[in-house]
């Protein structure tokens, strides 16, 4: 996974997170937003008596599709082509960006409207287009806020979750004019006023732009259909108004048939926004009348992930973000700390798999979790995120001090007699244990008191008293 | 009933009082308890920090020590969950696919995998390991390992253990007890039967305290923020005692409770259940 230039070269997660957790406004915004969605989701999920079965079905459909991906991808290509669309294959971000840029240039246009899409953010498409002299306008409300604010998304579903409405008002007033229609002079921070300002600003874009770029939530192989779920209707404007539509979609988004879609249309809105159904579901097959359609099938590391027996379950992800909203680490660190368009628990397993773990940041991501398991419980496609985290931790390079410490602990634990001797030594030296521990352990004692070390271990008590009988 | 105690390394070393309370409690309920001295550690710290080989060695040792017993009882939801969840994974041959760091060449077509053994084999085949293999030994041992409250409620069939503890107590369910072991209301049903005890609900009980083993050291800022919120919630209950089925989580929260001089004590579930009016329960911390 490449692209997202600003994210590259970021320090490791603990450093980013330590800075973020100091931002009380950010913490407040995140806590309020995640707890609200969390509560709504729990209610919406609780309404379905067959949630467990739906979840199992979704897992099995995804696993089956991934195991037979070659077959379904070829079927998808045939169906899209038969319906008058063009299919392009992109092995990595660079190739995908090149394909899209060439397609836009061929139309003679220098601007495009965009439907909110994680795949295009993953490959840094907007930045790549900018280098080619093409301006990409985001049309999703939250993405618009992020783009105007020259900011980075911090949540999969709610990219501007870290902003509150007064911050949004400031961004609109200061930046909207640079990108098109200006915000009204008397703009307040009332949600209705903010939405109206965005609506008028975006309406101009929809009506004046002839090329659109989208992603897709699902692709249905049997008919070559793409599916987008959204809340605002802005996506539908992009999908229908422009003359050329280019969709960049990760190869893992496939479903074999329309019948499979039924399962996911129940799971996704309830998991992501806590709604029974999302307001807009758009489907399109090949090229509509008077429109040219291109599908760019994106790999960008996905086949590598597929090759890993434990890690591949991350490809089941339908980007609902339920795991973010229940994660206590995400809630406090915020999305930017993960240094990727995929934050939170899913980002902690997906990003290091797509990007590798060569950088300090990517190597720190599998550790950005307490393994509390809330993400696994919330995941509608049953991705065992803690399992993958532990699996990835076994593969990253460990710091030397830690390796030595773990080897020493292993040496002690390998023989009960060694453990007993170490405990006795600890008991004897208990008075000399400082309140503040040295090295990396000082991080623990900075905010906590260490417990008193007992003079006698349980095993020594057992020996001395013959199991408490003496 | 003859029961092997798996006291766990943290309890053995730092909280021996919990081990003594388990002995007192199980004896009072008519169990014949044994402490296999060869036991050391379940290997959770190694596995969860990314040292599966060390973890596998300790799992091997655990199985050697406990295989012969009919029942193994551990006063730790986290260590019991480690044995139950991770041991079968550790015992399976580790997968050797393309390394995430090496970055195998991306190829759309060759990316498709042949059906896995899981898919082609008969249903349940994965659960039947080769005879005599480590996986088979693990499969035979794991079901005998119980967390304390599970053992009391499910195996012995008791919720009233004859305890007396006249204090205001709040219970923190701990993540592994809650979500890995699914202990449910077993611990609180046991606490509700303790005479004199007033059980008060803990707000945000199902949220992690931020310990996470080495997480507390690797991500200290987030860990401290999580613990601060947990401690705040504990303080709002007005409880004298914070109870849990895991001393590692209690140590973490207790360290902050102590630093903030809240006056709230931490106690393991076993210590409260072992307490009686006569006080001959050996519940002395330290």
């Amino acid at each position: 996974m490449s692209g997202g230039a600003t994210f590259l070269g970021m320090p490791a997660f603990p450093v980013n997170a330590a800075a973020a957790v100091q931002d009380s406004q950010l913490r407040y915004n995140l806590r309020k937003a995640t707890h609200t969605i969390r509560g709504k989701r729990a209610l919406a999920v609780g309404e379905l008596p067959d949630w467990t079965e739906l979840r199992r079905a979704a897992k099995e459909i995804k696993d089956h599709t991934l195991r037979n991906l070659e077959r379904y991808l070829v079927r998808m290509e045939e169906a899209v082509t038969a319906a008058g669309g063009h299919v392009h294959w992109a092995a990595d971000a660079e190739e995908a960006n090149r394909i899209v840029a060439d397609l836009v240039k061929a139309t003679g246009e220098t601007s495009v409207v965009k439907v909110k899409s994680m795949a295009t953010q993953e490959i840094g498409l907007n930045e790549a287009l900018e280098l080619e002299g093409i301006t990409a306008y985001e049309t999703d409300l939250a993405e618009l806020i992020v783009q105007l604010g020259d900011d980075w998304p911090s949540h999969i579903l709610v990219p501007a979750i870290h902003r509150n409405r007064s911050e949004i008002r400031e961004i609109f007033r200061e930046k909207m004019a640079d990108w098109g229609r200006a915000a009204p002079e008397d703009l307040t921070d009332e949600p209705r006023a903010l939405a109206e300002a965005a609506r008028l600003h975006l309406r101009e874009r929809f009506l004046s732009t002839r090329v659109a770029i989208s992603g897709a939530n699902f692709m249905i192989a049997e008919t070559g259909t793409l599916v987008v779920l959204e809340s605002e209707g802005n996506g539908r404007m992009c999908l229908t108004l422009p003359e050329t539509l280019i969709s960049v979609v990760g190869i893992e988004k496939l479903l074999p048939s329309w019948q499979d879609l039924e399962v996911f249309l129940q799971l996704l809105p309830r998991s992501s926004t806590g709604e029974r159904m999302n307001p807009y579901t758009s489907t399109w097959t090949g090229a509509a009348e008077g429109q040219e359609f291109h599908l760019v099938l994106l790999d960008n590391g996905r086949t590598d992930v597929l090759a890993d027996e434990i890690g591949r379950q991350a490809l089941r992800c339908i980007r609902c973000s339920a795991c973010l909203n229940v994660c206590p680490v995400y809630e406090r660190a915020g999305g930017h700390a993960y240094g990727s368009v995929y934050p939170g628990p899913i980002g902690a397993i997906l990003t290091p798999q797509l990007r590798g773990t060569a950088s300090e940041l990517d190597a720190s991501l599998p550790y950005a979790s307490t393994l509390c398991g809330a993400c696994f419980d919330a995941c509608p496609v049953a991705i065992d995120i803690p399992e993958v985290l532990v699996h990835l931790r076994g593969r990253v390079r460990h710091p030397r001090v830690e390796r030595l410490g773990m080897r020493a602990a292993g040496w002690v634990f390998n023989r009960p007699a060694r453990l007993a001797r170490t405990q006795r030594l600890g008991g004897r030296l208990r008075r000399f244990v400082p309140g503040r521990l040295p090295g990396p352990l000082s991080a623990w004692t900075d905010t906590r008191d260490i417990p008193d070390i007992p003079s006698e271990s349980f095993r020594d008590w057992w020996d001395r008293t013959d199991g408490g009988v003496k | 009933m003859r029961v092997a105690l798996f006291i766990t390394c943290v309890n053995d070393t730092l909280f021996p009082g919990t081990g003594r309370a388990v002995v007192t409690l199980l004896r009072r309920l008519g169990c014949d308890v044994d402490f296999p001295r060869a036991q050391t550690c379940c290997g959770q710290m190694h596995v969860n920090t990314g040292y599966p080989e060390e973890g596998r060695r300790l799992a091997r040792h655990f199985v050697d020590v406990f295989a012969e017993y009919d029942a193994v009882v551990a006063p730790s939801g986290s260590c019991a969950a480690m044995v139950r969840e991770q041991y079968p994974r550790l015992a399976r041959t580790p997968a050797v696919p393309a390394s995430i760091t090496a970055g195998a060449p991306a190829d759309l077509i060759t990316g498709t995998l042949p059906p896995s053994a899981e898919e082609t084999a008969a249903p349940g085949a994965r659960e039947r390991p080769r005879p005599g293999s480590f996986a088979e030994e693990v499969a035979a041992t794991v079901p005998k390992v119980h967390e304390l409250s599970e053992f009391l409620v499910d195996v012995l069939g008791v919720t009233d253990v004859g305890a007396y503890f006249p204090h205001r107590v709040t219970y923190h369910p701990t993540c592994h007890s809650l979500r890995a072991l699914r202990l449910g209301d077993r611990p609180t049903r046991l606490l509700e039967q303790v005479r004199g005890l007033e059980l008060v609900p803990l707000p945000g009980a199902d949220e992690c305290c931020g310990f996470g083993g080495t997480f507390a050291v690797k991500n200290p800022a987030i860990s401290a923020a999580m613990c601060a919120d947990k401690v705040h919630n504990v303080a709002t209950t007005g409880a004298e005692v914070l109870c849990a089925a895991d001393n590692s989580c209690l140590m973490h929260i207790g360290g902050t409770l102590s630093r903030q001089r809240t006056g709230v004590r931490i106690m393991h579930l076993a210590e409260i259940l072992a307490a009686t009016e006569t006080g001959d329960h050996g519940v002395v911390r330290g």
Side-chain angles (χ1 to χ4, degrees):
Chain A
M1 188 163 91
S2 58
T6 305
F7 279 140
L8 296 179
M10 277 177 82
F13 180 83
V15 179
N16 297 332
V21 83
Q22 297 297 325
D23 184 342
S24 57
Q25 179 71 64
L26 174 77
R27 254 180 98 172
Y28 177 81
N29 294 352
L30 278 171
R31 182 177 171 79
K32 192 166 178 329
T34 56
H35 281 248
T36 305
I37 310 178
R38 197 187 289 190
K40 274 181 74 181
R41 178 200 159 272
L43 286 176
V45 166
E47 282 178 357
L48 288 187
D50 59 346
W51 183 260
T52 313
E53 286 77 21
L54 278 169
R55 191 173 182 243
R56 189 178 310 131
K59 172 184 184 288
E60 280 169 14
I61 292 166
K62 279 281 183 181
D63 282 349
H64 166 84
T65 316
L66 289 169
R67 285 209 185 87
N68 300 281
L69 198 56
E70 176 192 350
R71 185 152 61 89
Y72 289 118
L73 279 172
V74 169
R75 191 174 297 170
M76 181 74 199
E77 180 181 31
E78 286 167 359
V80 170
T81 310
H86 305 275
V87 176
H88 311 262
W89 300 79
D92 56 22
E94 200 186 340
E95 194 176 357
N97 288 334
R98 163 70 28 219
I99 292 167
V100 176
D102 287 348
L103 287 170
V104 177
K105 278 194 216 162
T107 66
E109 297 293 319
T110 55
S111 64
V112 298
V113 282
K114 283 189 70 204
V115 184
K116 174 175 159 42
S117 140
M118 297 306 294
T120 59
Q121 281 180 15
E122 175 190 318
I123 60 175
L125 179 66
N126 291 9
E127 295 76 18
L129 289 178
E130 200 183 327
L131 292 176
E132 303 276 348
I134 300 161
T135 311
Y137 291 101
E138 292 291 347
T139 67
D140 173 85
L141 177 56
E143 291 291 355
L144 174 73
I145 295 163
V146 169
Q147 187 173 46
L148 293 176
D150 198 19
D151 195 358
W152 284 87
S154 67
H155 189 280
I156 291 174
L157 189 83
V158 201
I161 196 168
H162 54 292
R163 299 289 199 181
N164 63 24
R165 59 191 201 181
S166 68
E167 292 174 286
I168 294 167
R169 171 176 173 266
E170 286 314 305
I171 291 169
F172 278 11
R173 277 168 46 121
E174 284 172 25
K175 298 290 181 64
M176 246 180 189
D178 300 345
W179 290 78
R181 185 185 170 121
E185 275 299 312
D186 56 349
L187 182 66
T188 68
D189 65 358
E190 285 303 306
R192 181 184 284 273
L194 294 172
E196 182 62 13
R199 200 178 73 88
L200 293 172
H201 179 84
L202 288 170
R203 184 57 56 112
E204 267 188 13
R205 290 187 184 179
F206 295 134
L207 295 174
S208 62
T209 314
R210 289 157 68 188
V211 181
I213 296 173
S214 85
N217 293 95
F218 305 101
M219 298 188 286
I220 300 169
E222 74 175 344
T223 54
T225 305
L226 279 82
V227 185
V228 161
L229 277 65
E230 48 148 350
S231 297
E232 298 162 5
N234 294 342
R236 179 164 293 180
M237 299 286 271
C238 294
L239 295 168
T240 50
L241 286 174
E243 291 158 21
T244 303
L245 173 59
I246 304 164
S247 300
V248 183
V249 188
I251 52 173
E252 84 284 14
K253 295 273 174 178
L254 270 180
L255 296 176
S257 70
W258 277 85
Q259 205 179 340
D260 301 315
L261 184 64
E262 159 203 23
V263 174
F264 295 93
L265 288 184
Q266 294 179 76
L267 290 173
L268 181 51
R270 284 175 199 265
S271 301
S272 57
T273 54
E275 292 167 302
R276 296 188 182 106
M277 196 180 170
N278 52 294
Y280 294 88
T281 302
S282 302
T283 69
W284 68 101
T285 307
E289 205 177 327
Q291 200 184 45
E292 193 170 305
F293 173 63
H294 295 271
L295 170 61
V296 182
L297 290 169
L298 177 73
D299 184 322
N300 204 30
R302 285 160 174 75
T303 47
D304 292 350
V305 183
L306 201 53
D308 184 319
E309 202 190 328
I310 294 168
R312 73 169 69 133
Q313 55 187 308
L315 294 181
R316 290 204 293 261
C317 177
I318 55 174
R319 313 281 189 259
C320 72
S321 64
C323 62
L324 276 62
N325 299 329
V326 296
C327 178
V329 177
Y330 174 85
E331 183 188 322
R332 288 162 183 91
H336 292 158
Y338 295 80
S340 150
V341 296
Y342 304 111
I346 186 64
I349 62 167
L350 196 55
T351 306
Q353 291 198 86
L354 290 174
R355 247 172 16 191
T357 53
S359 77
E360 209 189 327
L361 172 66
D362 292 331
S364 71
L365 289 177
Y367 292 94
S369 165
T370 63
L371 306 177
C372 83
C375 50
F376 180 26
D377 266 15
C379 179
V381 287
I383 302 171
D384 191 339
I385 295 175
E387 181 187 21
V388 183
L389 287 167
V390 168
H391 172 66
L392 296 176
R393 289 176 186 187
R395 298 173 151 219
V396 299
R397 256 186 84 76
H398 300 116
R400 205 177 113 78
V401 179
E402 184 189 289
R403 280 205 309 274
L404 291 173
M406 286 292 165
R407 206 175 300 154
W411 186 82
V412 169
F413 288 139
N414 271 331
R415 296 276 188 285
R418 282 181 201 151
L419 176 58
R421 272 202 300 276
T422 310
Q423 286 167 336
R424 269 173 233 139
L425 186 68
R428 221 168 293 147
L429 299 177
R430 54 203 281 257
R431 278 178 235 294
F432 303 107
V433 174
R436 194 187 150 93
L437 294 174
L441 296 175
S442 67
W444 204 82
T445 49
D446 278 350
T447 57
R448 306 163 193 94
D449 290 338
I450 49 175
D452 292 333
I453 296 174
S455 55
E456 186 180 49
S457 69
F458 177 83
R459 69 180 58 230
D460 280 354
W461 169 82
W462 182 274
D463 285 352
R464 182 172 58 78
T465 62
D466 201 10
V469 182
K470 275 198 272 191
Chain B
M1 183 185 277
R2 190 163 168 72
V3 179
L5 303 175
F6 171 43
I7 290 303
T8 84
C9 61
V10 167
N11 288 326
D12 181 9
T13 310
L14 293 175
F15 302 98
T18 297
R20 294 198 296 269
V22 174
V23 173
T24 306
L25 175 65
L26 292 181
R27 285 225 180 100
R28 198 165 76 212
L29 295 169
C31 297
D32 180 7
V33 292
D34 187 17
F35 173 71
R37 267 198 114 274
Q39 66 180 276
T40 57
C41 165
C42 66
Q44 179 171 200
M45 180 178 76
H46 283 99
V47 171
N48 283 359
T49 314
Y51 298 79
E53 276 314 315
E54 291 282 6
R56 196 171 287 119
R57 212 171 304 155
L58 292 169
R60 171 86 261 174
H61 181 71
F62 181 96
V63 169
D64 288 345
V65 171
F66 288 104
E68 59 174 294
Y69 292 92
D70 300 324
V72 182
V73 176
S76 162
S78 193
C79 302
M82 167 70 195
V83 171
R84 203 174 295 169
E85 279 211 321
Q86 305 268 38
Y87 279 20
R89 286 176 193 156
L90 287 172
R92 254 184 266 145
T93 321
V96 200
S99 156
I100 50 160
T101 46
D107 184 321
L108 293 168
I109 299 304
T110 55
T112 306
L113 301 176
S116 70
E118 180 192 4
E119 215 179 29
T120 47
R126 197 171 177 157
E127 284 76 51
R128 280 203 308 273
R130 274 183 297 109
S133 66
F134 178 40
E136 192 188 51
E137 286 176 55
V138 165
T141 307
V142 162
K144 298 190 287 191
V145 178
H146 309 275
E147 182 277 334
L148 178 67
S149 71
E150 269 179 347
F151 182 74
L152 297 174
V153 176
D154 299 353
V155 180
L156 296 186
V158 292
T159 48
D160 185 348
V161 296
Y164 171 76
F165 190 75
H167 298 281
R168 195 175 162 98
V169 176
T170 193
Y171 180 76
H172 170 55
T174 80
C175 301
H176 290 171
S177 294
L178 187 72
R179 282 181 283 267
L181 284 186
R182 307 269 172 209
L183 288 188
D185 63 356
R186 288 179 186 84
T188 44
R189 275 160 64 200
L190 289 158
L191 287 173
E192 277 160 6
Q193 297 296 320
V194 174
R195 270 166 287 285
L197 187 147
E198 185 196 351
L199 187 63
V200 286
L202 176 65
D206 62 350
E207 287 172 28
C208 180
C209 71
F211 178 56
T214 46
F215 177 84
V217 176
K218 282 180 173 280
N219 280 286
I222 300 296
S223 173
M226 288 166 72
C227 198
D229 291 344
K230 181 60 74 181
V231 161
H232 171 79
N233 285 337
V234 171
T236 63
T237 65
E240 301 158 67
V241 174
L242 172 69
C243 173
D246 262 299
N247 270 330
S248 43
C249 308
L250 281 177
M251 175 180 73
H252 178 74
I253 307 169
T256 309
L257 285 168
S258 161
R259 177 66 58 95
Q260 295 187 4
R261 300 179 194 281
T262 56
V264 181
R265 278 189 297 157
I266 53 164
M267 274 179 93
H268 191 280
L269 178 68
E271 292 166 6
I272 291 178
L273 298 182
T276 58
E277 276 172 89
T278 52
D280 57 343
H281 44 65
V283 186
V284 183
R285 280 242 159 201

